[in-house]
Amino acid sequence: MPVTTTSAAIHITPVVIKTFIKHVRRKGIKYKDGDGSVQGWDDLLYDEAFHIVKAFIEMGTKNTVESLQAFTNTHVPAPFWCAVVPVKIPLSSCNKAADALIEWFGPDDLKHVVGGERWWQVRGLEWLDGEWITEKAYLKENPSKDGKKLSEEEDTILRMEHLDRVMLYVHGGAYFWGSINTHRYQVIRYARKMRGRAFTVNYRKAPQYPWPCPLQDVLAAYFYLTNPPPGASHKPVPPSKLVFAGDSAGGALCLTALTVLRDLGLPQPAGAVLISPWVDLTHSFPSVMKNTDTDIIPPHGFIHKPSPLWPVHPKSEEGYTRVIPTKTKPPPKPGHADKLKPDIEHMVDQMNQRQQQSMEKGEDVHSADLQDRPEDIGSQKEMQEEADGEPPASDDRSAPQAPSPAEDGVQQEAEEGSDYDSLRDFWEPKPPKVLMENPNATPLELRAQIQLYATTEQLSHPLVSPVLQSSLGNLCPLYIIAGDGECLRDEIIYMAHKAAHPKDYPARAGVLREGRRQRENAAKFQTPTKVHLQVFDDMCHVLTVFTFTDCAKYAYRAIAQFVKHVTDSSDEHLLRNPFPELHRPPSEISDSESEHEAGGPRHPSRGTHKRGSSDRSDVELYRSNEAMAEIEVNQGKADRLPSGDSSSMTALGDNSEDIPAVLMIRERVDVLGNVRPMEPAEEVEALRLQPWEIGVIKEAPVRRWLSGQEEWDRRYKRTAEHVIRQRRQYEAKAARLLEHAKQQGLIHDELQPQRSRVSVSGSVSSVGEVEAERRWGPLDLKDEKPPPSAIAGRRDTSEAVALLKKTIYHNAPATHRTVPKLKMSDAMRAAFAPHDHPIKPPQQSVSEQQVHTHFIPVHGLRMWQSLVELFMRKSSKKVERGKRRASAALRSTGDKLSGPGRSESHPAPASTSSDTR
């Protein structure tokens, strides 16, 4: 059964019942034992919501990737009290982002690391979906229209213009699921809390659109906001008034986009909020294995029921095995993938070895087929000792030695030789080797692609795993949030410290050796980034999903205050102090920024809520934690700038008395939302890792993934066989489509049908046109090597055929000379196809185009929003009751102390509701 509202309800209902029973038993045991400790699981609402989310994600692994994508990319109407305006980011903004990435990579990296500069620019839609979001109560009543007749959407955007604080939110979902629909409820809360507007982008998802497609789309959204194209309804948003924000994969995309902007010398936003960012796709940190039980991530990672789309190899056959004991000596050495940009020596060695074994076997031998003599393959320890660049045995954290200028010159001279290009074209990376826990064991060899976002060889690239950037210095201020119970905790903590202390956390030597830009950045960007890191006790991945918890309420308030501080302050002010908690006098939080905790509508006439409403508690928490931050600084528990650094001590022209010269605030937050200083860095396990231990492929995560994948192979064996037959059918359909297009007049330089790289083996009038802004299509990939899952290079999935048809008959790229007519027979077939049309373009990939349904009145995403609203109301009532009891106790105590002397004409002063929102 695919992922639907009905299947989700069937799967989750037993989980809700079991969780309730277990919760009652656990609370009973704690009560019986007199255990008064407070944990996140003590809250029934959080306990239920946690297991609901975990169960839904696990259900997704039992379905195909496309099914999960379609469910989470279904358009869901916004709540009526919110102003949500969909917009289409044009191809011109996408092209601007592509140009920036082309400049960042350079021609050599584009060809050998990315696989070309064309395939990742191919897209099905002529636009990129985005949304403006704010609360209707914030809209301006009568904006100036300059005599223009505007549509309702344009008028709403114009009525937002006075809200100068802008958050560009990038949603999460492991790079392959989720959408602006799954995260809209959270984004609405941010806009309400910060009294501003938010913009969300529905970037293309893997595996159809793998790295760097999502990164291009995030940059396109940023350029669309800051430099809008002609015809855009909004005015340019100054970078100083804009903040990046994102969760999980979205948080990592934000961080990666910042490094690209920094490296190219382009303006950065005023700040960035990173919520549980996934910054290490190699899974090299300890918490990935230790925190499985306390996180919502599936136990075996993201494995899925086979489909024509994924996995690349649906089953083991013809000698293919996902993981085997290695058959070759280094390179690569254990824990590493082979180089995508090898040196001359390695290329010559591989060429000679492949030619020799080809002659011996009488057939072509590829790098994955190479075998050394068994007696020559030693243990992991022997391989490490023989390999170049042996990792240091000491705890020395000094910066690894990068290649000298002389070595760079030799390599550059070799690259300019006449045989270099032919050697590079012949080169194939060997399968990655796994770092074993037993140094005397023979390393495993990884044959399968584990992550959907990028190939295994690309996982250690700094734009895929930004924790491997040579420097995270010179970035805008960062507010970073992590859950102490999440699998990604350690990499988040490490990344935060690496940004604040670039000299203390250098990149490993391999990153510097293989990337010229990374070598330059290591020396160029050494200015510490100002960072506020908070790790929340007992919380799982992306704690902001659980909006009704006390600590999440505090997190939303703190994020809003950070956004307001960095967008309202001048550059000079932020240089002195980017932390709102250290702003003096403390910033005001007005009544108009309050929210109805149940998620219901707010009206201007309701600007002041009754005293004691639950929304007050998050403000009180923030004020209390604001005071704690000052105490931390005074007690020396916050990282200060060096005494010789006077850049942040400059006097300001305003009346600010901010606490200056603070580099990093490091805190833990309990389940009630109260902060405390984090332990010293030397006591944090993640910060004791050495550079050479980070970004390597380790045995435990691989075996965990493999055990799940092998179970899925057994469970879905027949499905995998059916998938192979489906792929052949789609390939035949694509070949027929191309042949008919040529017969109908398609003129293009590359007319030969391209067989899929992931393979097991009368007319209607033209209604299309050639689009000048659409640079490339699926027929323009000569000499390119897109990743195996990329839709642009495939012909064996329904979505790949739909993309091919659209770019031939409807919206052709500029490289096409003609748009042919559709044969009548093809039009008839399209009339009976579920996702096709005889005249209109076919539905594009669900990883890109939103699904619009007219049959289901209540979608599962809307039901989750309603469930959160219910939990919010329950939480509000609980806080209300607690405050009434506390107030009654205070009054009783006051009466006892004052006795009969207090007259009715002098009552006890009532608490004020000012500054509670």
Side-chain angles (χ1 to χ4, degrees):
M1 181 183 293
V3 182
T4 63
T5 301
T6 302
S7 65
I10 294 173
H11 182 78
I12 289 172
T13 299
V15 174
V16 174
I17 298 172
K18 292 178 181 178
T19 301
F20 179 78
I21 295 173
K22 291 181 179 178
H23 181 89
V24 172
R25 289 176 178 172
R26 186 170 61 250
K27 289 292 289 286
I29 294 174
K30 287 190 67 174
Y31 180 79
K32 181 179 179 181
D33 296 342
D35 185 353
S37 62
V38 180
Q39 297 175 314
W41 309 105
D42 294 338
D43 185 343
L44 175 61
L45 302 182
Y46 174 71
D47 200 1
E48 289 282 13
F50 171 87
H51 286 94
I52 288 173
V53 174
K54 189 178 183 73
F56 172 78
I57 296 176
E58 288 185 8
M59 183 188 72
T61 65
K62 299 174 183 177
N63 287 270
T64 66
V65 169
E66 304 98 309
S67 177
L68 181 60
Q69 288 177 334
F71 183 80
T72 58
N73 198 22
T74 297
H75 177 72
V76 178
F80 66 89
W81 67 87
C82 303
V84 177
V85 183
V87 297
K88 296 179 178 180
I89 301 172
L91 291 177
S92 58
S93 297
C94 299
N95 292 340
K96 188 176 298 184
D99 292 339
L101 287 178
I102 289 171
E103 180 183 352
W104 192 95
F105 283 112
D108 196 49
D109 277 13
L110 278 172
K111 181 176 182 180
H112 299 288
V113 177
V114 181
E117 73 170 65
R118 299 181 180 183
W119 69 263
W120 48 274
Q121 297 187 58
V122 175
R123 62 180 70 235
L125 300 180
E126 306 86 73
W127 64 83
L128 175 62
D129 280 333
E131 280 185 354
W132 281 108
I133 299 176
T134 192
E135 199 172 276
K136 283 185 178 178
Y138 294 163
L139 297 179
K140 194 174 183 179
E141 289 299 328
N142 297 305
S144 174
K145 300 181 181 180
D146 298 328
K148 297 180 180 179
K149 186 176 181 180
L150 303 177
S151 66
E152 182 180 353
E153 290 79 10
E154 292 172 331
D155 180 70
T156 304
I157 293 175
L158 190 60
R159 294 173 63 189
M160 296 182 187
E161 286 289 333
H162 67 288
L163 301 170
D164 58 352
R165 301 173 186 140
V166 178
M167 171 186 283
L168 171 55
Y169 194 88
V170 186
H171 69 82
Y175 295 102
F176 76 96
W177 62 279
S179 70
I180 55 181
N181 297 284
T182 56
H183 288 65
R184 188 182 294 119
Y185 184 75
Q186 299 173 50
V187 177
I188 289 170
R189 286 176 61 88
Y190 291 124
R192 180 188 301 142
K193 292 277 189 180
M194 72 184 195
R195 192 173 176 79
R197 50 188 167 139
F199 188 86
T200 58
V201 56
N202 211 35
Y203 59 87
R204 293 168 294 166
K205 314 293 188 303
Q208 299 96 318
Y209 294 101
W211 178 79
C213 297
L215 177 59
Q216 180 198 359
D217 290 355
V218 172
L219 290 171
Y222 179 70
F223 294 146
Y224 175 76
L225 295 177
T226 58
N227 188 14
S233 300
H234 69 281
K235 297 177 182 178
V237 178
S240 61
K241 293 293 183 181
L242 188 148
V243 168
F244 278 172
D247 64 276
S248 191
L253 285 170
C254 289
L255 180 60
T256 304
L258 288 178
T259 63
V260 172
L261 296 173
R262 176 200 65 183
D263 295 352
L264 297 180
L266 298 174
Q268 296 183 49
V273 179
L274 310 180
I275 304 167
S276 296
W278 186 12
V279 294
D280 176 28
L281 273 73
T282 66
H283 288 333
S284 60
F285 285 86
S287 61
V288 166
M289 297 301 299
K290 293 182 178 180
N291 285 359
T292 303
D293 293 338
T294 55
D295 205 359
I296 57 176
I297 306 301
H300 299 292
F302 291 103
I303 56 177
H304 286 272
K305 179 181 178 181
S307 71
L309 171 64
W310 185 266
V312 173
H313 296 280
K315 59 178 293 187
S316 297
E317 62 176 0
E318 298 178 1
Y320 169 78
T321 307
R322 302 189 189 281
V323 178
I324 62 172
T326 186
K327 296 182 178 181
T328 63
K329 299 182 296 183
K333 62 182 180 180
H336 295 265
D338 211 351
K339 298 179 181 178
L340 293 172
K341 294 176 59 180
D343 53 38
I344 293 291
E345 181 182 356
H346 286 157
M347 287 192 293
V348 172
D349 286 346
Q350 185 188 107
M351 181 186 69
N352 293 336
Q353 192 175 13
R354 285 172 59 187
Q355 288 178 343
Q356 180 180 350
Q357 294 192 18
S358 295
M359 294 176 61
E360 294 173 354
K361 295 183 178 181
E363 59 183 19
D364 289 339
V365 172
H366 296 277
S367 61
D369 304 321
L370 290 174
Q371 296 185 26
D372 290 320
R373 293 185 305 173
E375 58 269 22
D376 292 338
I377 301 175
S379 65
Q380 174 175 285
K381 182 178 180 180
E382 293 170 336
M383 290 184 182
Q384 289 177 322
E385 291 174 349
E386 295 175 2
D388 294 332
E390 181 182 359
S394 68
D395 290 339
D396 182 19
R397 196 185 276 277
S398 59
Q401 293 295 317
S404 66
E407 292 173 323
D408 270 347
V410 171
Q411 178 68 13
Q412 184 175 358
E413 182 178 346
E415 292 178 4
E416 295 172 354
S418 58
D419 296 333
Y420 182 79
D421 288 339
S422 59
L423 284 172
R424 286 293 293 267
D425 291 338
F426 186 79
W427 165 266
E428 294 175 352
K430 292 162 63 178
K433 288 182 174 60
V434 178
L435 185 68
M436 309 299 288
E437 295 176 357
N438 179 5
N440 295 317
T442 299
L444 297 174
E445 196 168 270
L446 189 58
R447 297 298 184 99
Q449 179 177 331
I450 295 180
Q451 305 290 10
L452 287 82
Y453 183 48
T455 65
T456 308
E457 291 78 16
Q458 294 172 334
L459 295 183
S460 59
H461 192 279
L463 293 192
V464 177
S465 296
V467 75
L468 292 171
Q469 285 275 343
S470 62
S471 173
L472 290 174
N474 293 76
L475 299 179
C476 62
L478 304 178
Y479 179 29
I480 303 173
I481 288 176
D484 192 56
E486 70 172 297
C487 292
L488 307 186
R489 178 198 63 199
D490 288 351
E491 62 197 69
I492 297 169
I493 293 175
Y494 188 93
M495 177 271 294
H497 286 78
K498 181 183 179 77
H501 303 281
K503 294 182 180 179
D504 296 337
Y505 299 90
R508 58 182 172 85
V511 173
L512 302 179
R513 187 164 48 242
E514 296 170 19
R516 187 169 300 171
R517 183 178 288 278
Q518 294 305 312
R519 294 198 294 274
E520 295 172 355
N521 290 352
K524 185 177 181 181
F525 300 122
Q526 288 297 315
T527 300
T529 297
K530 307 291 182 63
V531 176
H532 188 176
L533 169 66
Q534 290 185 327
V535 181
F536 287 68
D537 294 348
D538 296 341
M539 290 293 106
C540 63
H541 188 55
V542 191
L543 65 97
T544 48
V545 169
F546 308 94
T547 56
F548 47 84
T549 60
D550 292 330
C551 58
K553 292 176 184 177
Y554 162 68
Y556 275 95
R557 174 60 65 190
I559 290 171
Q561 293 305 109
F562 174 82
V563 173
K564 290 193 290 185
H565 182 74
V566 298
T567 55
D568 293 350
S569 303
S570 65
D571 292 341
E572 293 77 13
H573 193 129
L574 294 179
L575 187 63
R576 176 183 174 90
N577 170 40
F579 307 110
E581 293 82 0
L582 304 182
H583 184 67
R584 298 295 180 270
S587 57
E588 296 183 358
I589 307 177
S590 66
D591 288 350
S592 60
E593 294 160 24
S594 67
E595 70 174 308
H596 191 284
E597 286 297 342
R602 260 198 345 103
H603 304 280
S605 61
R606 302 179 186 176
T608 303
H609 294 262
K610 63 181 181 179
R611 184 178 58 202
S613 67
S614 67
D615 193 43
R616 186 185 182 197
S617 64
D618 72 317
V619 178
E620 290 176 335
L621 272 174
Y622 182 80
R623 290 303 187 202
S624 174
N625 293 338
E626 189 176 48
M628 178 58 69
E630 182 175 359
I631 294 174
E632 293 171 15
V633 173
N634 293 336
Q635 292 180 349
K637 295 181 179 179
D639 296 354
R640 304 297 296 263
L641 286 169
S643 57
D645 189 341
S646 60
S647 60
S648 64
M649 302 295 292
T650 306
L652 300 175
D654 54 26
N655 296 323
S656 169
E657 299 176 359
D658 286 18
I659 302 172
V662 176
L663 169 61
M664 184 181 189
I665 300 177
R666 309 163 59 257
E667 294 174 321
R668 292 190 179 273
V669 186
D670 66 22
V671 296
L672 300 179
N674 302 302
V675 305
R676 65 185 186 275
M678 183 179 284
E679 61 273 23
E682 55 270 17
E683 298 179 15
V684 179
E685 180 184 17
L687 302 180
R688 294 198 292 266
L689 293 182
Q690 298 304 307
W692 54 268
E693 297 180 90
I694 298 170
V696 297
I697 304 169
K698 298 181 178 179
E699 179 182 4
V702 169
R703 287 199 181 278
R704 181 178 64 182
W705 164 83
L706 181 62
S707 64
Q709 187 61 65
E710 289 178 340
E711 179 184 345
W712 257 229
D713 288 343
R714 291 189 296 269
R715 178 181 297 186
Y716 299 112
K717 181 178 180 180
R718 291 187 178 181
T719 302
E721 294 170 350
H722 178 62
V723 163
I724 293 173
R725 293 193 295 270
Q726 282 183 302
R727 287 181 174 180
R728 295 194 184 109
Q729 293 170 1
Y730 288 127
E731 284 184 326
K733 185 176 181 179
R736 183 176 64 245
L737 184 70
L738 276 170
E739 186 62 30
H740 289 180
K742 289 187 286 183
Q743 294 172 5
Q744 294 297 108
L746 172 63
I747 301 178
H748 187 275
D749 292 337
E750 303 296 328
L751 288 179
Q752 295 299 321
Q754 302 180 14
R755 185 174 178 81
S756 170
R757 299 179 66 247
V758 185
S759 172
V760 206
S761 63
S763 65
V764 177
S765 297
S766 173
V767 294
E769 61 182 359
V770 174
E771 294 186 358
E773 293 287 355
R774 186 184 283 270
R775 293 176 173 176
W776 313 111
L779 301 181
D780 300 312
L781 306 186
K782 183 180 179 182
D783 298 328
E784 301 243 330
K785 295 181 179 179
S789 70
I791 190 174
R794 299 182 70 166
R795 301 288 185 269
D796 60 355
T797 72
S798 61
E799 294 180 338
V801 175
L803 174 65
L804 183 64
K805 181 178 180 180
K806 182 171 184 180
T807 54
I808 289 177
Y809 290 105
H810 298 277
N811 303 100
T815 54
H816 289 218
R817 303 178 191 175
T818 59
V819 178
K821 298 178 181 180
L822 187 65
K823 290 189 70 172
M824 183 61 71
S825 59
D826 291 336
M828 292 294 292
R829 290 190 185 95
F832 293 97
H835 301 294
D836 206 347
H837 195 278
I839 298 176
K840 297 178 181 179
Q843 169 80 21
Q844 292 302 292
S845 170
V846 291
S847 66
E848 178 184 17
Q849 185 171 3
Q850 295 183 67
V851 177
H852 291 263
T853 178
H854 305 286
F855 302 103
I856 303 177
V858 180
H859 190 269
L861 298 181
R862 191 65 179 269
M863 292 174 64
W864 168 253
Q865 175 183 315
S866 301
L867 188 62
V868 170
E869 291 175 1
L870 173 64
F871 288 173
M872 292 294 290
R873 285 193 291 270
K874 295 288 186 182
S875 177
S876 299
K877 291 178 181 178
K878 183 173 65 174
V879 174
E880 186 80 22
R881 289 195 300 268
K883 289 196 172 186
R884 283 200 297 266
R885 288 195 295 267
S887 179
L890 287 173
R891 284 197 300 269
S892 175
T893 303
D895 291 342
K896 292 179 180 178
L897 292 174
S898 60
R902 182 180 294 276
S903 68
E904 292 184 4
S905 60
H906 295 85
S911 60
T912 176
S913 62
S914 64
D915 201 39
T916 61
R917 299 290 182 260

